[in-house]
Amino acid sequence: MSFASPEEEIVAGIISEFTEAFAFSRTRWTRYANEVSSELSGVSMLVLQIVFRRGPITATGVSHWLDMDKSLVSRHVAKLRELDLVIATESPEDRRVQLLTVSEHATVLLNGVRERWSNAYRERLADWSDEELESLRAGLHRFNASADKLPVDGPDARCSKHAGDGDSSA
């Protein structure tokens, strides 16, 4: 016998569905990481994706976006730099700060991954109508945009080129 309200049941169902979607994504990122280099993990690919979409960004900024320990992010960044996928340059405002961007080689690789990623989603969404697809896109956009409205404390909030500008489209 369930004592949860209908809203709690719906939210629990949403959480369950997101969990399955995240598992699908994690599996794909791991596969694509191995295609790029046997030395990369799925987490490294996720770090690379954050640098690609949010860069120039600091390692602290990446750790904020992924809610990961900065030392762990730094190890992934070091591996990405070793493989010439990420470039670190001094910040013009503070030479002690390293800004991360992706290399041209990484951009080519990520565009290929994005194409395969899109194909995987197209296969899963093949029998959805245009209206259903738009409803899903709009709902996910609304959900993701709501995170930008949450207060962010500390220096992490200043570690991305998009911090504070309200632009979540990057």
Side-chain angles (χ1 to χ4, degrees):
M1 179 176 201
S2 175
F3 296 102
S5 71
E7 181 181 351
E8 289 170 334
E9 295 273 338
I10 291 169
V11 170
I14 291 169
I15 291 168
S16 178
E17 296 299 332
F18 269 126
T19 300
E20 288 189 38
F22 294 150
F24 170 75
S25 295
R26 184 175 177 271
T27 302
R28 291 292 173 156
W29 278 117
T30 300
R31 183 181 308 154
Y32 297 147
N34 288 324
E35 289 176 17
V36 171
S37 170
S38 61
E39 299 179 55
L40 287 184
S41 68
V43 175
S44 294
M45 282 297 286
L46 189 55
V47 169
L48 184 61
Q49 179 70 13
I50 294 296
V51 174
F52 180 71
R53 292 182 50 86
R54 297 283 173 178
I57 188 170
T58 64
T60 301
V62 173
S63 68
H64 167 74
W65 274 102
L66 297 177
D67 195 23
M68 288 174 56
D69 181 77
K70 186 178 178 243
S71 64
L72 181 59
V73 169
S74 294
R75 284 193 294 274
H76 287 285
V77 168
K79 177 54 71 177
L80 293 168
R81 288 181 68 188
E82 178 184 315
L83 296 170
D84 296 321
L85 299 171
V86 167
I87 300 165
T89 56
E90 288 181 355
S91 168
E93 292 86 26
D94 185 344
R95 293 178 16 190
R96 297 169 296 175
V97 174
Q98 295 286 305
L99 296 176
L100 306 172
T101 56
V102 295
S103 67
E104 287 184 36
H105 176 64
T107 300
V108 170
L109 290 172
L110 286 171
N111 285 337
V113 166
R114 182 174 291 131
E115 182 62 30
R116 289 192 305 283
W117 187 264
S118 293
N119 290 338
Y121 273 89
R122 276 192 213 93
E123 288 173 12
R124 292 183 76 174
L125 300 168
D127 62 346
W128 289 45
S129 70
D130 289 346
E131 294 79 23
E132 290 170 320
L133 290 171
E134 178 53 30
S135 179
L136 176 62
R137 187 211 56 80
L140 289 171
H141 177 76
R142 182 176 174 195
F143 177 79
N144 289 331
S146 69
D148 291 340
K149 296 177 181 136
L150 299 175
V152 179
D153 296 325
D156 291 344
R158 298 184 301 271
C159 295
S160 164
K161 72 176 180 181
H162 303 290
D165 67 6
D167 179 11
S168 62
S169 64

